[in-house]
Amino acid sequence: MMKRFSWLLLLSGTLLFAQPGVKNDMPQETPSSKTETTALETAQADTSSDIQHLLEEKHNLDIQLKENNVWSKIYSNYHIYKELKDEEAALDRKIGELNKLSKKRRLNKQQRKVLAALKSEKKILEGKLQLLKEYEKDPFKKFLTPPAIGNIPSVGNPFAIIAALSFTEKLKNDQSEYNSRYASIKHVMDGLKEKKKILEALIQRDPGNHALRKELADTEEQINTFTPVVEIFKTTQSVYTKKIDEIKLNLQAEIRKEIEKATTIGIIILLFLIIIFLIKYLVKRYMSDNERFYTINKFLNFTFFMLILLTLLFAYIENVNYLVTILGFASAGIAIALKDWFMSVMGWFVIIIGGAVHVGDRVKFVRNGMEYVGDIVDISLLRMTIQEDITLTTYMHNRRAGRIIFVPNNYVFTDMIANYSHAGLKTVWDGIDFTITFDSNASKASSIAKEVTKKYSKGYTDITRKQLNKLRSQYSMKNTNVEPRIYSFIEPYGIKISAWYHTNAYATLTLRSTISMEIIERLQQEDDIHLAYPTQSIYIDKDVRKPHHPEATPEGEQA
């Protein structure tokens, strides 16, 4: 462009010099020629500055389109793939022509070398095409496709609210990322259009610049390639945004509904809790029996648990008939697989409702020939917990005490459980046996035994009498005699005196020890009463190893 303006200036000067009547003296210039020369120089300078400015704008646009622009990179790879495909087609044509000559055996040595080189080049070209295979068809599909929405969570319980909120946040991030893709391709499209305008302006000022014309053609090709992509992206983005907004609104409605539902259930549970605590307070205040209060407290806790369970089941199971059907089918499996567990639960109902055993009762439990005596410290849904105490059973059989024994509730159906303190009757019969010789005064020994037992058991006897009178309205009791009883029996070594009396079920050994020592002391003070025990008398007057001669034994003497 600069050369063209210089040539025009030179041509103008030559024409001026060639006009008739004009002197050729250089220093003599007219004012009009000076003005034209200055205008041309000014126009040349302005054009040069304008071109430089356009080139700078184009350079900046190229940098923006290439740096951190995935769309330009995809298009570049797509364009390279198309060029490689064109090269492959040209190679196939050349190889095909040479192959035809080869079949007719018209190839010379130079042509065979060319054919080998072309085949080798084609192999290299096929490798490049294989690397760019994904750009063969619809190279922008991967970026046009919106992120997968995935499974939309259903807000059916309070814990699902967290999942719904997390899913909503995921949708928000996906939508933001997809919108950023659309913004980037719009930015690329705007940049290409701006670049096209700059190139057209440059070509208008320099029509003969073939490099600019080729770059303009490439830019137009890019615009034509991106135009349908932008239209598809715009439609897809609109549909995707509406779908995301719809899902968000539905989830927000479900979350709000679930919060209201959870609040209602919470109020119901709180109401149940207040009622249970009120009942417990009234029972504790007006019931003096701590053991009964413990049982009622356990029952109230179980009732509260069942009410909460039923409330939650009916609140969060849409089809109750379906639940009933499932439980009906599952009951057979439960009865077989969890027979002991199921029987323990049934045993718990029998214990709680029947009232045969309460917390605090002293019981004896027999299992596989072993006897355990202790106090019930807890009755849970599946088992009773017993604390073993020092009793006559531990003294005579186990020689161990203080253990915690767990008895499954289902044993109430299969094993014997003896209650030492049922229905408030906290006394039991206990007996002490001693043997006197046949020549002792048995009547006096019996009187001493009765006197001592009556002395120490009087308080328990009165308590038992009162309690039995209360139980006669509940049970058919024939014999309610509670006074100490003394029995006499003939035994191989003497006369056995058996003394029976009432004692505290929780301290039998203590009173037994006291009464035993008192009876021994009283008997030892009597001269006509002698305690009997297995004895043996041996009389020795000769060596038993020598043979016995009857004739040598004096008359009337016994060995």
Side-chain angles (χ1 to χ4, degrees):
M1 184 66 72
M2 299 287 290
K3 291 179 180 180
R4 184 174 299 153
F5 281 108
S6 300
W7 180 79
L8 290 174
L9 181 62
L10 179 61
L11 180 61
S12 300
T14 305
L15 291 174
L16 289 173
F17 292 143
Q19 291 180 359
V22 179
K23 294 182 178 181
N24 291 332
D25 296 335
M26 292 297 294
Q28 296 177 357
E29 293 181 358
T30 62
S32 61
S33 64
K34 280 186 175 183
T35 303
E36 290 177 1
T37 302
T38 304
L40 289 173
E41 290 177 353
T42 303
Q44 182 182 3
D46 293 341
T47 303
S48 177
S49 175
D50 189 21
I51 292 173
Q52 186 66 28
H53 179 68
L54 291 173
L55 289 174
E56 289 179 0
E57 288 185 358
K58 174 182 168 300
H59 178 69
N60 293 332
L61 275 175
D62 289 337
I63 293 175
Q64 292 178 7
L65 291 173
K66 289 181 180 179
E67 290 184 354
N68 300 323
N69 192 334
V70 67
W71 301 102
S72 297
K73 294 178 182 178
I74 293 175
Y75 176 80
S76 176
N77 293 333
Y78 172 66
H79 187 69
I80 292 172
Y81 182 83
K82 289 178 63 178
E83 290 179 348
L84 292 177
K85 289 295 288 186
D86 294 339
E87 291 180 15
E88 184 184 32
L91 284 174
D92 288 338
R93 285 194 299 270
K94 293 178 182 179
I95 292 172
E97 293 174 358
L98 292 175
N99 282 333
K100 290 179 181 179
L101 295 175
S102 176
K103 290 180 180 178
K104 296 179 181 180
R105 298 182 179 179
R106 294 180 182 178
L107 288 179
N108 55 30
K109 185 176 181 181
Q110 183 65 27
Q111 288 175 331
R112 284 195 293 272
K113 289 182 179 180
V114 172
L115 179 60
L118 291 174
K119 290 183 178 179
S120 176
E121 185 178 352
K122 183 179 179 181
K123 288 183 179 179
I124 297 173
L125 193 60
E126 288 177 348
K128 295 179 180 179
L129 289 172
Q130 187 64 32
L131 294 175
L132 299 172
K133 185 70 174 176
E134 60 179 307
Y135 299 98
E136 181 179 6
K137 295 180 181 179
D138 201 0
F140 301 102
K141 181 178 180 181
K142 179 180 177 181
F143 289 89
L144 287 176
T145 305
I149 294 177
N151 296 326
I152 302 174
S154 177
V155 185
N157 56 75
F159 299 103
I161 295 177
I162 300 175
L165 293 175
S166 177
F167 185 78
T168 303
E169 188 66 23
K170 172 186 173 298
L171 292 179
K172 182 179 177 181
N173 295 333
D174 291 345
Q175 186 178 13
S176 176
E177 190 269 338
Y178 194 65
N179 291 338
S180 66
R181 289 191 215 169
Y182 181 70
S184 66
I185 195 172
K186 284 284 293 179
H187 177 72
V188 170
M189 194 66 176
D190 294 339
L192 290 173
K193 290 180 179 179
E194 184 67 24
K195 182 179 178 181
K196 179 183 176 182
K197 292 179 181 179
I198 294 173
L199 289 172
E200 288 176 345
L202 289 171
I203 292 172
Q204 186 178 5
R205 289 162 175 77
D206 188 7
N209 195 325
H210 296 288
L212 291 176
R213 289 185 178 277
K214 184 178 183 305
E215 190 171 0
L216 177 61
D218 292 339
T219 303
E220 289 177 344
E221 183 181 356
Q222 289 188 51
I223 293 174
N224 294 333
T225 302
F226 280 114
T227 298
V229 175
V230 172
E231 293 298 326
I232 296 172
F233 208 143
K234 182 179 180 181
T235 304
T236 306
Q237 190 229 12
S238 176
V239 175
Y240 180 70
T241 301
K242 292 178 181 178
K243 189 173 183 180
I244 292 296
D245 292 339
E246 180 183 358
I247 293 173
K248 286 181 179 178
L249 290 175
N250 291 335
L251 285 177
Q252 288 174 2
E254 290 183 5
I255 290 173
R256 184 165 52 252
K257 179 181 177 181
E258 187 58 35
I259 291 175
E260 294 175 355
K261 184 178 180 180
T263 303
T264 304
I265 294 174
I267 294 173
I268 294 174
I269 293 176
L270 181 61
L271 182 62
F272 286 153
L273 187 62
I274 293 173
I275 293 174
I276 292 295
F277 272 110
L278 181 61
I279 295 174
K280 286 184 177 180
Y281 171 76
L282 294 175
V283 171
K284 187 175 182 180
R285 182 174 181 180
Y286 296 104
M287 181 175 287
S288 58
D289 192 344
N290 292 330
E291 296 174 4
R292 289 289 183 180
F293 171 74
Y294 179 86
T295 303
I296 294 175
N297 184 58
K298 296 281 285 188
F299 180 76
L300 289 175
N301 291 338
F302 177 77
T303 303
F304 177 68
F305 172 77
M306 291 301 298
L307 288 174
I308 293 177
L309 181 62
L310 292 174
T311 301
L312 294 176
L313 285 177
F314 282 102
Y316 291 105
I317 294 181
E318 300 295 335
N319 192 346
V320 179
N321 294 329
Y322 177 74
L323 174 64
V324 174
T325 303
I326 292 297
L327 292 178
F329 281 108
S331 60
I334 293 174
I336 296 173
L338 302 176
K339 181 185 69 173
D340 292 338
W341 182 86
F342 181 74
M343 292 299 293
S344 291
V345 175
M346 292 299 100
W348 181 82
F349 277 105
V350 171
I351 293 171
I352 295 299
I353 297 174
V357 179
H358 301 89
V359 172
D361 288 352
R362 170 153 293 192
V363 296
K364 174 188 280 189
F365 171 72
V366 181
R367 181 68 175 176
N368 296 329
M370 293 296 295
E371 299 179 359
Y372 305 94
V373 178
D375 303 328
I376 297 178
V377 295
D378 183 55
I379 300 177
S380 63
L381 193 64
L382 299 178
R383 63 191 180 185
M384 294 178 288
T385 304
I386 299 175
Q387 183 182 16
E388 191 179 23
D389 196 5
I390 300 176
T391 62
L392 186 62
T393 301
T394 57
Y395 165 70
M396 299 184 65
H397 302 288
N398 299 338
R399 300 302 298 179
R400 292 289 185 274
R403 295 172 291 185
I404 301 297
I405 302 170
F406 301 99
V407 181
N409 292 336
N410 63 329
Y411 283 6
V412 298
F413 301 114
T414 58
D415 295 80
M416 187 192 75
I417 298 178
N419 193 340
Y420 288 77
S421 54
H422 174 64
L425 187 64
K426 299 181 180 181
T427 58
V428 293
W429 284 100
D430 192 20
I432 298 175
D433 298 337
F434 60 93
T435 306
I436 59 175
T437 59
F438 289 109
D439 57 352
S440 298
N441 190 340
S443 298
K444 185 186 290 187
S446 299
S447 298
I448 292 173
K450 187 172 184 178
E451 182 182 344
V452 173
T453 54
K454 190 173 183 179
K455 170 185 174 183
Y456 286 100
S457 65
K458 187 177 185 305
Y460 301 115
T461 300
D462 296 338
I463 294 174
T464 306
R465 183 181 292 107
K466 293 178 182 178
Q467 191 62 34
L468 287 178
N469 290 332
K470 294 179 181 180
L471 292 178
R472 292 184 68 176
S473 60
Q474 183 178 356
Y475 300 100
S476 178
M477 295 183 175
K478 302 297 183 181
N479 187 2
T480 58
N481 183 18
V482 295
E483 295 296 330
R485 302 176 188 180
I486 308 297
Y487 302 97
S488 301
F489 305 100
I490 299 176
E491 297 291 340
Y493 296 102
I495 301 173
K496 177 180 286 188
I497 308 297
S498 182
W500 292 84
Y501 54 93
H502 276 97
T503 183
N504 188 355
Y506 300 90
T508 55
L509 287 183
T510 302
L511 189 59
R512 184 187 183 94
S513 175
T514 303
I515 292 177
S516 296
M517 295 305 297
E518 180 74 15
I519 290 176
I520 292 296
E521 292 178 0
R522 291 286 301 274
L523 293 179
Q524 289 177 348
Q525 294 176 3
E526 303 296 332
D527 295 333
D528 54 350
I529 300 176
H530 305 284
L531 293 174
Y533 45 87
T535 58
Q536 184 177 10
S537 300
I538 300 176
Y539 302 94
I540 299 176
D541 59 351
K542 61 180 64 176
D543 192 349
V544 297
R545 292 176 294 177
K546 294 182 179 180
H548 177 68
H549 299 287
E551 64 277 8
T553 303
E555 187 176 352
E557 183 178 349
Q558 295 181 356

